[in-house]
């Protein structure tokens, strides 16, 4: 054969050791190396810094290429086949279909059973409500007014819930009107809070006091924020008994 004859296409060209290492490094980065070649390459990574650098260079080139790719969703059939091969799902119609319909799969019996259960629960709740609520407690009211009738405050007690509302008059600026619970046994008045300048003041009876006949509601004028001592510091300018409404 003449020296000028072209090389045989079926014959692999001779590669230098550097070129062979570069190809092997690319195959390692792509995960395409044959098992034996991959095992030898992994052993070389720790002992041959130059070869390890070739692998890192290929990994960086491929990472840049991957960032420029546009993700494409595989076809439905391909995803189905991948899931089947991985064992995550079964192939369609791979199991016998039971044509029998259980009773709970029939809509009418299921709906009827659910409706019956709801009705039974509702009946139990209705029967138990009086027991759960307990006996209804009476309500009491008091209307507190100043001697010149320029101020009126209404108080109402339902069970242990108290509501006080300013109906007429104005609370002085820089002062507050404090509400007091005065028991008929002569014990010290108990503060229920301050009259709101707008809207109702709602609270609950403090522990240790109960609604009994003869209780009175009183108002005193106190410094802003209420009495600093826990007892009325000013005169009680309005007082009224709580009467059953």
């Amino acid at each position: 054969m003449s020296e000028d004859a072209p090389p045989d296409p079926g014959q692999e060209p001779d590669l230098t050791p550097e070129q062979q290492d570069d190809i092997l490094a690319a195959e390692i980065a792509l995960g395409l190396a044959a098992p034996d070649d991959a095992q030898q390459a992994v052993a070389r990574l720790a002992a041959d810094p130059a070869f390890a650098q070739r692998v890192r260079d290929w990994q960086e080139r491929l990472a840049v290429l991957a960032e420029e790719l546009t993700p494409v969703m595989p076809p439905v059939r391909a995803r189905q086949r991948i899931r089947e091969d991985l064992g995550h799902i079964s192939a369609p119609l791979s199991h016998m279909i039971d044509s029998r319909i259980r009773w709970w799969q029939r809509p009418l019996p299921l709906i009827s059973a659910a409706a019956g259960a709801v009705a039974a629960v509702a009946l139990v709740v209705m029967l138990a409500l009086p027991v759960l609520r307990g006996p209804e407690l009476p309500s009491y009211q008091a209307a507190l007014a100043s001697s010149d009738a320029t101020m009126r405050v209404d108080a109402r007690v339902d069970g242990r819930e108290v509501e006080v509302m300013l109906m007429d008059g104005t609370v002085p600026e820089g002062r507050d009107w404090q509400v007091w619970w005065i028991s008929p046994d002569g014990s010290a008045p108990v503060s229920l809070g301050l009259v709101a300048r707008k809207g109702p003041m709602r609270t609950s009876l403090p522990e240790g006091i109960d609604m009994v006949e003869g209780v009175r509601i009183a108002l005193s004028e106190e410094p802003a924020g209420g009495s600093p001592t826990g007892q009325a510091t000013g005169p009680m300018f309005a007082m009224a008994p709580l009467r059953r409404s």
Side-chain angles (χ1 to χ4, degrees):
M1 177 181 295
S2 172
E3 294 181 0
D4 297 332
D8 186 355
Q11 182 180 1
E12 294 184 1
D14 294 333
L15 300 176
T16 64
E18 291 77 7
Q19 291 173 326
Q20 292 177 355
D21 283 353
D22 199 45
I23 292 174
L24 180 58
E27 291 177 343
I28 293 297
L30 289 168
L32 300 177
D36 293 341
D37 293 340
Q39 187 174 2
Q40 294 176 6
V42 170
R44 286 185 59 189
L45 289 175
D48 189 346
F51 180 71
Q53 184 60 49
R54 288 179 186 273
V55 175
R56 287 195 295 271
D57 291 343
W58 271 108
Q59 290 173 338
E60 293 176 0
R61 293 177 203 166
L62 295 172
V64 173
L65 292 175
E67 291 176 356
E68 298 176 353
L69 295 176
T70 301
V72 177
M73 181 66 70
V76 176
R77 291 185 179 180
R79 297 201 302 271
Q80 173 79 14
R81 183 58 182 272
I82 292 172
R83 294 191 187 100
E84 293 173 11
D85 291 344
L86 292 175
H88 295 320
I89 61 174
S90 301
L93 303 180
S94 60
H95 300 287
M96 293 294 294
I97 298 178
D98 191 351
S99 61
R100 293 176 299 173
I101 299 178
R102 276 71 173 179
W103 69 269
W104 46 266
Q105 292 175 306
R106 297 189 177 102
L108 288 179
L110 180 60
I111 294 173
S112 299
V118 171
V121 171
L123 180 60
V124 170
V125 171
M126 290 176 62
L127 293 175
L129 275 178
V131 177
L132 295 175
R133 283 198 305 258
E136 292 189 2
L137 298 176
S139 298
Y140 294 83
Q141 297 184 46
L144 300 94
S146 60
S147 57
D148 58 2
T150 59
M151 178 279 299
R152 196 187 95 193
V153 172
D154 285 353
R156 181 181 179 87
V157 179
D158 287 313
R160 299 193 64 81
E161 301 303 312
V162 181
E163 180 178 292
V164 179
M165 179 175 287
L166 177 62
M167 306 303 292
D168 292 308
T170 303
V171 180
E173 289 295 329
R175 306 286 288 178
D176 273 314
W177 288 345
Q178 194 154 354
V179 186
W180 301 94
W181 178 276
I182 302 178
S183 299
D185 59 5
S187 57
V190 177
S191 174
L192 298 180
L194 304 178
V195 174
R197 284 175 163 78
K198 185 177 181 180
M201 182 275 287
R202 295 188 177 93
T203 186
S204 298
L205 289 179
E207 293 294 330
I209 65 173
D210 297 296
M211 182 62 222
V212 295
E213 294 295 334
V215 171
R216 292 174 295 169
I217 296 291
L219 297 178
S220 68
E221 186 174 315
E222 303 292 340
S227 169
T229 65
Q231 294 297 320
T233 62
M236 295 190 180
F237 61 89
M239 186 180 300
L242 277 169
R243 300 188 186 278
R244 188 164 180 170
S245 56

